[in-house]
Amino acid sequence: VWTFPTGATNPGNVASFTTSTPGTYAVVATNTVTNCPSPSASGTVTINTLPIASVISNNGPVCSGTTGTFNLSGTPGATVSYTINGSAVNTSTINGAGTGTISLPAVTSDQIIALNSITNATCSQTLSNTSTLTVTPVRTPSFAAWGPYCLNDITPTVTLPSSSIEGINGIWNPAAVSTANVGTTIYTFTPGAGRSEEHTSELQSRQYLVCRL
């Protein structure tokens, strides 16, 4: 005869059984010939919780050549195995706060992480969580040719375009063309927020000698 914890199913008159309910189980066996009971024997069933992990976010889209990161959440202290773009298996440990970060420096194409498994001191299980980090290629903005211009030339009026031929918007530094000095002036175009392209253009201010006969 078995005694069992609350919530467990009575196993009946059997010698062994399986259970998913933790607690203490005790059994008394009765001799079918003498009808004498045995001393009670007991054992404790402990069921450990399976460790878990998932990718909760990434920092994409990122520009090509920058660092991509995947953010994990899971069981503190557990070790996660994963692959990037189907390559060799790597591991990362979930910290005490239940989070983890996987960093990929200088990414140049989309990165797909696949979590394979998670293991802690007592249990392990297979995982199938994936996440895709989008990587935006760097485009170099281009512009139509300018100049050369004469010293102190005010015509034609030079307007620096706010958008490149490729449609990339940005700002110029310096913001306006000056022909006050002879030589080469560098004008730098910086794309708007979230863009990684940069283009440097040179405008030449040239002095022309005027001779009087």
Side-chain angles (χ1 to χ4, degrees):
V1 177
W2 289 92
T3 57
F4 44 87
T6 301
T9 301
N10 187 346
N13 188 22
V14 294
S16 64
F17 62 95
T18 60
T19 182
S20 59
T21 303
T24 299
Y25 293 77
V27 64
V28 174
T30 300
N31 187 308
T32 57
V33 176
T34 64
N35 205 34
C36 293
S38 69
S40 176
S42 65
T44 300
V45 175
T46 300
I47 298 178
N48 296 305
T49 302
L50 287 173
I52 58 172
S54 64
V55 182
I56 56 174
S57 65
N58 62 61
N59 68 331
V62 298
C63 292
S64 179
T66 60
T67 298
T69 58
F70 292 99
N71 300 308
L72 309 182
S73 176
T75 303
T79 299
V80 179
S81 67
Y82 66 92
T83 60
I84 301 293
N85 294 339
S87 61
V89 175
N90 295 282
T91 60
S92 179
T93 300
I94 303 296
N95 65 26
T99 62
T101 301
I102 296 171
S103 297
L104 307 175
V107 293
T108 57
S109 61
D110 289 357
Q111 304 291 300
I112 301 174
I113 188 173
L115 303 188
N116 298 330
S117 64
I118 184 168
T119 304
N120 63 7
T122 56
C123 298
S124 65
Q125 71 165 323
T126 300
L127 302 175
S128 59
N129 185 231
T130 63
S131 177
T132 300
L133 173 74
T134 301
V135 178
T136 303
V138 173
R139 293 188 300 158
T140 300
S142 60
F143 303 89
W146 306 319
Y149 301 101
C150 296
L151 181 66
N152 295 321
D153 192 359
I154 59 172
T155 58
T157 301
V158 182
T159 302
L160 294 174
S162 61
S163 174
S164 73
I165 294 173
E166 296 77 17
I168 300 170
N169 298 322
I171 58 174
W172 289 94
N173 184 32
V177 173
S178 171
T179 58
N181 297 295
V182 174
T184 299
T185 302
I186 297 177
Y187 292 77
T188 302
F189 178 82
T190 302
R195 307 297 292 271
S196 63
E197 307 91 347
E198 183 166 304
H199 173 86
T200 298
S201 182
E202 295 182 355
L203 294 180
Q204 291 185 339
S205 296
R206 294 185 179 177
Q207 182 176 15
Y208 288 81
L209 178 62
V210 179
C211 297
R212 177 176 295 178
L213 298 175

